[in-house]
Amino acid sequence: MLVLITYDVNTETREGRKRLQRVAKLCVNKGQRVQKSVFECLVDYAQWIEFRHDLINEIDPEKDSLRFYFLGNNWKHKVEHIGAKKSYDPEGPLIA
């Protein structure tokens, strides 16, 4: 399934900046960055459960937020890209 993940981490403190780095690293390891704090992640259900758990454990829910958009397995007809950043195929190789 394709999951769109967005996050907003409060970076006013040193700890907040560290949280941001950890959240970004988790997302980079599971998906493709499509905008600064937006990732497309192609995962199966078991991977998703673990990934979601890891992300939730990294944030401070009083200061930060995560949003998950489930595009499912039929995502190809739900994503349209227009603009400068080149689109990619999550099912294809990640190395260009």
Side-chain angles (χ1 to χ4, degrees), residues 10-87:
N10 184 308
T11 58
E12 293 175 355
T13 65
R14 178 179 157 99
E15 181 53 39
R17 290 185 292 276
K18 287 182 179 181
R19 284 193 315 274
L20 175 64
Q21 290 175 345
R22 292 190 303 264
V23 168
K25 185 175 180 179
L26 284 168
C27 290
V28 165
N29 288 337
K30 287 286 185 193
Q32 177 71 36
R33 177 175 273 157
V34 293
Q35 291 186 355
K36 292 186 182 197
S37 295
V38 181
F39 284 79
E40 291 178 356
C41 301
L42 193 60
V43 292
D44 64 29
Y45 185 73
Q47 292 169 326
W48 169 245
I49 295 301
E50 181 179 353
F51 183 34
R52 179 182 181 276
H53 177 267
D54 292 344
L55 287 169
I56 290 170
N57 283 338
E58 287 298 341
I59 69 161
D60 178 344
E62 298 294 319
K63 299 176 183 173
D64 311 327
S65 67
L66 289 167
R67 293 181 69 92
F68 307 124
Y69 299 88
F70 301 96
L71 301 177
N73 293 323
N74 190 19
W75 58 268
K76 289 182 181 181
H77 301 290
K78 297 177 184 175
V79 178
E80 180 179 0
H81 171 82
I82 299 169
K85 202 168 185 183
K86 212 174 184 185
S87 194

